[in-house]
């Protein structure tokens, strides 16, 4: 759906200026949007997963682990597909307050795309290099976005998400390297052309949400603080934005579930050119593992 059509609808959660800011800058941060009750419930479940991760020494379909992870000193990079791991994450993604935000920015017909919980552990949790989401999961049009929930207070030291304002209106970059292998991020040469002095760092107290458009260039620095930075990300799309690749169809029954409105009768087509990602039908690792050039876990989400 086109921004003008979306902006003409009455919003449910955002004010008009926040919606206009999203379409202008390609991202938005809303301080303490999620209440303490939701946070307490999500933390209770999340603590159980952190405990469970102690039994694992290597990344697998559920846990993406730092190489230093151990039973005594858990260091998770990611809980993959949280909405598949526990019904509470799905309740939050499909019925929680962020669904109104998705509707305000995508229009009335909203489909779920995927979920992940990026921990960015304390004392060096890994960076996420500059990238766009669209080359990982291209669609017939760019009415696709991701909403992150900070489950802790996040300041400058903790590797907040950063985004380049207006970059969603620019080119779709090559995410392959010079050997034509998937790199999962922009090349150093392309990064060198970016206006990095304009980066908006999305910080906020626990309960704050970040929203970024699928073509917005974004990333985050390592977490050098003593507190972890769990960011629960759920991605959504307009029902008229059809996936051009199977990923992550094979991995989640929830992918493309209609959570608001009615199924689309028409696919909206955008004229933009985008390189297709590799065939991940036999399994995918994670953006961390790819960017750090590790083998990583099979079948984890982007
Ligand atoms: O966790 C982060 O800081 C960034 C996450 C992200 O961009 C991704 O997982 O695609």
């Amino acid at each position: 759906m086109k921004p003008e059509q979306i902006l003409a609808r009455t919003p449910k959660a955002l004010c008009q200026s926040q919606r206009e800011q999203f379409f202008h800058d390609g991202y938005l941060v809303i301080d303490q949007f999620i209440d303490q009750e939701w946070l307490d419930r999500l933390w209770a479940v999340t603590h159980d997963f952190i405990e469970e991760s102690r039994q694992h020494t290597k990344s697998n379909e559920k846990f993406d682990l730092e190489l230093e992870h151990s039973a005594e000193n858990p260091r998770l990079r990611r809980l993959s597909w949280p909405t598949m791991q526990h019904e509470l994450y799905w309740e939050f993604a499909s019925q929680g307050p962020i669904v109104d935000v998705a509707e305000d920015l995508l229009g009335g017909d909203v489909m779920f795309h995927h979920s992940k919980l990026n921990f960015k552990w304390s004392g060096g949790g890994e960076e996420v290099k500059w990238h766009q989401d669209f080359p990982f999961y291209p669609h017939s049009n760019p009415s696709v976005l991701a909403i992150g929930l900070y489950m802790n207070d996040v300041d400058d030291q903790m590797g907040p998400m950063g985004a380049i304002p207006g970059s969603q209106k620019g080119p779709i970059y090559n995410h392959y390297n010079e050997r034509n292998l998937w790199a999962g991020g922009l090349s150093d040469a392309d990064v060198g052309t970016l206006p990095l002095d304009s980066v908006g760092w999305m910080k906020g107290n626990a309960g704050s949400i970040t929203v970024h458009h699928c073509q917005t260039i974004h990333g985050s620095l390592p977490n050098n603080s003593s507190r972890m930075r769990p960011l629960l990300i759920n991605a959504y799309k307009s029902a008229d934005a059809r996936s051009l690749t199977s990923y992550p169809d094979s991995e989640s029954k929830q992918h493309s579930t209609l959570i608001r409105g009615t199924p689309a009768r028409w696919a909206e087509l955008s004229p933009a050119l985008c390189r297709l990602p590799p065939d991940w039908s036999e399994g995918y690792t994670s953006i961390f593992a790819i960017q750090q050039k590790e083998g990583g876990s099979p079948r984890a989400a982007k």
Side-chain angles (χ1 to χ4, degrees):
M1 210 167 170
K2 299 218 164 19
E4 314 75 74
Q5 297 167 297
I6 296 167
L7 288 170
R9 294 170 48 89
T10 306
K12 291 192 167 161
L14 303 179
C15 58
Q16 194 68 350
S17 61
Q18 287 172 316
R19 300 206 293 173
E20 285 165 359
Q21 191 190 339
F22 174 78
F23 287 113
H24 186 267
D25 292 341
Y27 71 93
L28 200 57
V29 57
I30 308 173
D31 200 41
Q32 290 176 295
F33 182 76
I34 299 300
D35 66 22
Q36 195 58 45
E37 191 183 334
W38 264 115
L39 284 174
D40 290 345
R41 291 174 72 204
L42 289 165
W43 263 119
V45 169
T46 302
H47 280 309
D48 287 346
F49 281 108
I50 295 172
E51 280 310 302
E52 187 188 329
S53 78
R54 292 177 189 270
Q55 300 161 19
H56 300 274
T57 52
K58 279 200 305 223
S59 295
N60 57 30
E61 291 177 9
K62 193 187 266 190
F63 298 114
D64 185 30
L65 304 173
E66 287 188 14
L67 298 176
E68 293 74 27
H69 172 89
S70 67
E72 302 71 41
N73 183 24
R75 292 191 67 84
L76 280 81
R77 289 195 292 213
R78 174 179 285 178
L79 174 66
S80 300
W81 283 104
T83 52
M84 300 266 283
Q85 316 292 358
H86 196 285
E87 61 195 16
L88 181 68
Y89 293 120
W90 178 239
E91 185 187 328
F92 181 71
S94 60
Q95 296 167 44
I98 58 172
V99 183
D100 284 341
V101 176
E103 186 175 335
D104 286 351
L105 299 173
L106 294 171
D109 304 324
V110 178
M111 282 177 161
F112 178 73
H113 189 267
H114 77 278
S115 68
K116 54 207 172 194
L117 173 46
N118 287 354
F119 282 96
K120 205 181 275 275
W121 216 260
S122 54
E126 278 163 19
E127 70 172 330
V128 177
K129 295 178 184 171
W130 297 112
H131 68 283
Q132 295 165 304
D133 292 341
F134 202 73
F136 286 80
Y137 40 85
H139 279 70
S140 61
N141 74 65
S143 202
V144 183
L145 53 74
I147 302 179
L149 165 66
Y150 284 139
M151 293 175 61
N152 269 348
D153 295 347
V154 173
D155 62 25
D156 274 322
Q157 308 310 311
M158 295 171 70
M161 282 258 293
I164 301 196
S167 53
Q168 84 284 4
K169 297 180 192 152
I172 300 172
Y173 283 86
N174 184 5
H175 286 52
Y176 287 86
N177 66 17
E178 64 289 347
R179 287 184 292 136
N180 218 17
L181 298 172
W182 184 252
L186 274 64
S187 67
D188 290 346
D190 282 336
V191 170
T193 67
L194 300 177
L196 293 178
D197 51 351
S198 72
V199 171
W201 296 105
M202 295 180 249
K203 295 166 275 185
N205 296 305
S208 302
I209 60 166
T210 66
V211 189
H212 65 272
H213 183 273
C214 61
Q215 283 177 214
T216 301
I217 300 173
H218 62 286
S220 58
L221 297 170
N223 176 7
N224 290 321
S225 79
S226 56
R227 286 168 299 139
M228 64 163 123
R229 188 227 62 175
L231 176 62
L232 176 60
I233 298 179
N234 286 290
Y236 303 90
K237 58 184 184 165
S238 298
D240 64 12
R242 310 309 286 196
S243 299
L244 299 183
T245 57
S246 63
Y247 167 80
D249 266 333
S250 53
E251 303 174 29
S252 163
K253 291 188 206 72
Q254 294 153 343
H255 176 65
S256 288
T257 302
L258 187 76
I259 53 172
R260 285 281 166 90
T262 52
R265 289 232 161 212
W266 299 82
E268 190 169 305
L269 305 181
S270 123
L273 270 178
C274 175
R275 283 176 185 82
L276 294 170
D279 177 5
W280 286 316
S281 54
E282 292 307 310
Y284 178 72
T285 54
S286 78
I287 193 169
F288 297 101
I290 287 175
Q291 292 188 346
Q292 303 301 326
K293 300 186 178 59
E294 291 166 18
S297 58
R299 290 194 178 280
K302 173 183 170 291

